Amino acid sequence: MDLQVVIRERRSIRRFKSDPVPRKDIEKMIHAASLAPSGGNLQPWRFIAITNKGYRDEMRRIIHDEGVAFFNHTDNKSAARRIASSLVFSTAPLVFAVLVMPFSLERDPNFRIFQEERALRDRAIDRYGGFVSVQSVGAAVQNLLLTALDCGYGSCWVRIPYYAHDELERLLNIHEPWEILALVPVGIPDHNPDSPPRKSVQQILTYIE
């Protein structure tokens, strides 16, 4: 499929048929992900391909139960909708857990001086570091999504809800320095959603000439 066609036709698919995804296609998607650019060529990504239904069901239970427990303390009226939006992976025959190794700018002795001079803390440190690892993994995930479509599958980029991080990492045996960043369900689409509205080029582009 032509690259521009793949980019235009990609959709976030949230309902899937049960047909399994062959290993050759799984490895083709991950090979494409591995070709993404990364800061310093650190390649700070790992992927867990979860085809075991028992694991997928347990992941669904964790996100649901941890979400219910969390929102019971907050009286959040949109809790059910917010939890449901994180469970769209559960009907897919394949779910990729996307892992990231955070980039530690603080290891740079020159940055430590800069940090002390400006009293940088917490997320301000990431700002000056350019979110290197997240940028890199984002590029890898985009390669994966486009290759999935090229192979005839649908996919969806699902953010991990903050309240379920720890339990999901325990289930999937993820240890420091790795962290779970996203889930990407993949399978044959069971619906054909329209493309959501996009901002025009004029809205997002500024020239300095």
Side-chain angles (χ1 to χ4, degrees), residues 27-37 43 45 47 136-137 139-145 147:
E27 293 175 7
K28 182 176 181 180
M29 288 179 246
I30 297 305
H31 177 65
S34 76
L35 299 177
Q43 304 174 59
W45 47 63
F47 300 87
S136 302
V137 175
V141 172
Q142 180 74 345
N143 280 8
L144 191 160
L145 299 177
T147 304

Side-chain angles (χ1 to χ4, degrees), residues 26-181:
I26 294 174
E27 293 175 7
K28 182 176 181 180
M29 288 179 246
I30 297 305
H31 177 65
S34 76
L35 299 177
S38 63
N41 196 34
L42 294 174
Q43 304 174 59
W45 47 63
R46 293 288 185 276
F47 300 87
I48 303 174
I50 304 160
T51 58
N52 182 289
K53 186 177 185 301
Y55 267 81
R56 297 197 309 273
D57 289 346
E58 182 64 7
M59 290 164 64
R60 186 186 192 285
R61 183 199 65 76
I62 286 171
I63 292 175
H64 176 270
D65 292 357
E66 292 292 311
V68 168
F70 175 78
F71 287 114
N72 276 346
H73 297 299
T74 67
D75 193 30
N76 190 309
K77 294 181 180 179
S78 65
R81 177 182 56 78
R82 295 183 65 179
I83 293 170
S85 69
S86 297
L87 299 176
V88 298
F89 69 87
S90 60
T91 64
L94 164 66
V95 179
F96 288 111
V98 182
L99 311 187
V100 60
M101 180 186 292
F103 176 73
S104 180
L105 187 59
E106 294 172 282
R107 286 199 297 261
D108 181 341
N110 295 312
F111 180 76
R112 284 202 297 271
I113 296 169
F114 181 80
Q115 177 185 353
E116 290 169 3
E117 287 178 347
R118 302 207 178 189
L120 301 179
R121 297 291 181 271
D122 303 324
R123 300 301 284 177
I125 295 171
D126 287 330
R127 173 178 174 246
Y128 284 95
F131 301 93
V132 174
S133 291
V134 175
Q135 286 192 66
S136 302
V137 175
V141 172
Q142 180 74 345
N143 280 8
L144 191 160
L145 299 177
L146 296 178
T147 304
L149 180 58
D150 193 45
C151 290
Y153 302 108
S155 62
C156 188
W157 195 336
V158 182
R159 179 178 66 87
I160 300 290
Y162 47 82
Y163 49 78
H165 261 253
D166 293 343
E167 290 299 321
L168 287 176
E169 288 180 345
R170 275 191 277 272
L171 174 68
L172 299 175
N173 199 29
I174 298 167
H175 302 286
E176 291 185 353
W178 295 98
E179 299 175 5
I180 189 167
L181 184 66

Side-chain angles (χ1 to χ4, degrees), residues 186-204:
V186 176
I188 296 174
D190 201 24
H191 68 140
N192 184 28
D194 293 330
S195 177
R198 302 291 180 176
K199 294 179 180 179
S200 70
V201 171
Q202 289 71 29
Q203 288 176 293
I204 64 174

